Amino acid sequence: MDQIINVPIIIIGGGGCGLTLSSFLSDWKVQHVLFEKHSGTSLLPKAHYLNQRTMETFRHHGLDKPVLAVGAPIHNMGRVQWKTSLGGDGAFDGRVLGHCGAFGGDFGTKQWEDYRRDSPSLSSNVPLLRLEPILRQLAEDRNPGHILFGHTVADLEDDSQKVIATVQKPDGKTQKYQAQYVVCADGGKFSTPKLGINMEGPTGLVDFVSTHFKADLSEYWDDRTLITHFINPEGEKMVNFDCGALVQMGPTWGRKSEEWTLHFGFPVTDSSRFDKEALPPRIRQLLKLPDLEMEVLNISHWVLDRVLADKYKVGRVFIAGDAAHRRPPTTGLGLNTSIEDARNIAWKLAAVLNRGADVSLLETYETERRPIGLRNCDWGLFTFSNMAVLQAAVGLVPGAGEYNNERFRRIFEDSFYGQTARNQIQRAISTQDIEFTAHDLELGFVYEKGAVLSDGSKPPPVDPAGQTYISTTRPGHRLPHSWIEDKKGDVVSTQDLLVVGKHDFFLITDEDGDAWISAATSISKLTSLSVGAAKIRAQAHSKGDGLYYDYQDQWSKAREIGNGGAILVRPDNFVAWRRDRSCDDPELELASVFAQLMNINPRVANSNENYSNGVVHQ
């Protein structure tokens, strides 16, 4: 075995969470190595929806353009339908039971306007089998030679001063690595049992069978629709996707999509779920397309759980992504939550390793992210369970074939009763907006405790349906997006002010905030931190060099501070602190803020300045 290799950070797992974490660490100039046991990225579509918060994150770190280049345009993913089938010539075949707007892409709706007002980025849709190669390339470009696929971490030893990882290389030989910290983004297969972490919550709820196939469905598909759920008298149930849900997978989007995935739910006691030969005929039967030419690319099983780790950190080892939380796929909170985990731990590791922040900052990762993991696990199960409401509205009874056919005849009859029945079904389907337009779930999550300093204010009201996002600069909340214009006429988002790799924090004030600007400059000189600062005009009559202008008059409504006040933004574009007005000594005030947040004080040397943040052979 070769000599031990020293590296500050080890990432275990090369899926969406681990690969984005790698890019984030590289952007914060933290040396690291990533180990993935598989030789390549995912062969399965699996996760595909990228919500607004994720796309904001990608935008902030310069990862968004290659993702958007292959992602679904918003107009091809703005609707979810419920139909009886795609084809068929029966009385009930090919009928639309209702639809639900989705992801801010349903033109002319309130959601259409809200999604565009509240973020510089729109949602996207890229199946994991096409997303992961992009994320891998981005990670390798930033950290060449240290994204190691085909490498299996066989053991971890944490002695409280360092972590030793034993890694099996593709040739079967082993190599030891020494790290200050390890982040496990391995889905929990190795990490959670090794660390003694308990996954709390129900498991084995449903066995999903996903069939990824090629077929030409352009004649039957609505170009606006991303997902079609099926319900018909033959299928009888839709509670666990018994009748199937069909998702377009691109790479061409809309009705001309070449690839599709059909998800079925089976009870875990149903042995027929393993009969792969029966799936293609079942798909043709469900779609009512008996002569459909289809090429099955892959068939996969995955068991639905709703579990949350009882801890996110053991010693010097952290867990993130599916290693920390797993939930039903409804609302798409799996990969999106994982990427936010990665963003949170990345800047904190960088602050400790490169900026002299106290190691206590790392404790705030669990403090902040575990409550969000719990919230999202519960929401995923809640929205999945709401399918029972839709089942009840349609009114099919398992095993009652004659009754079910009569029920559908009445639903589709040209009468006042039929009109009323269809209206009621549409009303029930509209309640699934908790899954497809959960705008506040995606943008409105808050860190009540952690690397934030409370100002004693109350949070904005929370929409229990997860729809209405209320922007706020209250500490612990995401920095509101507003378009602002500089003196050159360039229009940027408030979320663009903190430049990754240039600023560690960013201070936003107004035309009366010159003292805050000077304070930020002083803190940058007297500490290891780089604190950027900008003034955004608060009063229409003001003018002056260096002022940003409130391009659409949105920032003046969102900032929630008085003239001369200040807002401090963290590296993840969350608000760390704010002050409503000016103060007698802004430099002293700001120094106190960083002392409380990170235990960094002016004129104190970087406690890690003698540490070599590189890969060292011993």
Side-chain angles (χ1 to χ4, degrees), residues 211-215 284 292-298:
T211 305
H212 179 209
F213 65 96
K214 284 186 177 182
R284 293 187 179 97
L292 178 67
E293 294 184 8
M294 58 184 295
E295 177 188 352
V296 175
L297 302 174
N298 217 315

Side-chain angles (χ1 to χ4, degrees), residues 73 116 212 222 230 251 271 280 354 365 424 433 488 522 595:
R116 284 155 180 77
H212 179 209
D222 184 322
F230 297 104
S271 60
N354 293 349
Y365 168 65
Q424 187 67 6
D433 60 1
K488 297 179 181 179
S522 295

Side-chain angles (χ1 to χ4, degrees), residues 3 38 47 73 85 92 110 117 140 220 329 409 435-436 442 496 518 521 524 530 542:
Q3 291 181 314
H38 295 105
S85 66
F92 311 137
K110 181 178 183 297
R117 178 196 63 217
E140 289 175 341
Y220 312 99
R409 187 189 69 77
E435 175 181 1
F436 297 113
E442 296 177 355
D496 297 328
S518 298
T521 301
S524 297
S530 173
S542 297

Side-chain angles (χ1 to χ4, degrees), residues 49 51-52 74 77-80 82 99-107 109-118 123 226-227 329-333 375 379 382-383 386 429-444 463-470:
Y49 172 55
N51 68 29
Q52 276 191 294
I74 195 67
M77 53 179 288
R79 180 168 290 197
V80 175
W82 280 257
H99 75 273
C100 186
F103 317 126
D106 200 11
F107 179 76
T109 62
K110 181 178 183 297
Q111 287 81 9
W112 172 276
E113 298 174 357
D114 290 348
Y115 277 60
R116 284 155 180 77
R117 178 196 63 217
D118 293 334
S123 308
L226 180 66
I227 304 169
T330 45
T331 321
L333 293 172
R375 169 183 182 259
W379 194 266
F382 165 59
T383 54
N386 195 64
I429 286 173
S430 296
T431 68
Q432 206 61 23
D433 60 1
I434 57 175
E435 175 181 1
F436 297 113
T437 54
H439 192 43
D440 188 49
L441 260 287
E442 296 177 355
L443 299 183
D463 179 5
Q467 303 296 293
T468 304
Y469 164 72
I470 299 176

Side-chain angles (χ1 to χ4, degrees), residues 569-606:
V569 183
R570 305 186 335 182
D572 56 355
N573 266 331
F574 267 67
V575 176
W577 164 90
R578 69 178 177 181
R579 185 179 176 95
D580 183 56
R581 302 284 177 180
S582 59
C583 65
D584 293 337
D585 192 336
E587 183 178 332
L588 183 63
E589 176 86 3
L590 206 55
S592 174
V593 167
F594 285 112
Q596 294 176 74
L597 284 175
M598 309 165 73
N599 199 22
I600 289 180
N601 296 284
R603 302 181 181 88
V604 175
N606 183 347

Side-chain angles (χ1 to χ4, degrees), residues 353-373:
L353 291 173
N354 293 349
R355 294 293 183 259
D358 190 79
V359 294
S360 60
L361 178 65
L362 299 178
E363 301 298 327
T364 68
Y365 168 65
E366 179 177 318
T367 304
E368 293 183 349
R369 292 305 301 164
R370 190 173 183 276
I372 306 306

Side-chain angles (χ1 to χ4, degrees), residues 171-186:
D171 61 6
K173 297 180 179 179
T174 59
Q175 171 68 59
K176 288 188 181 291
Y177 287 77
Q178 176 179 303
Q180 287 194 271
Y181 299 100
V182 174
V183 182
C184 299
D186 63 336

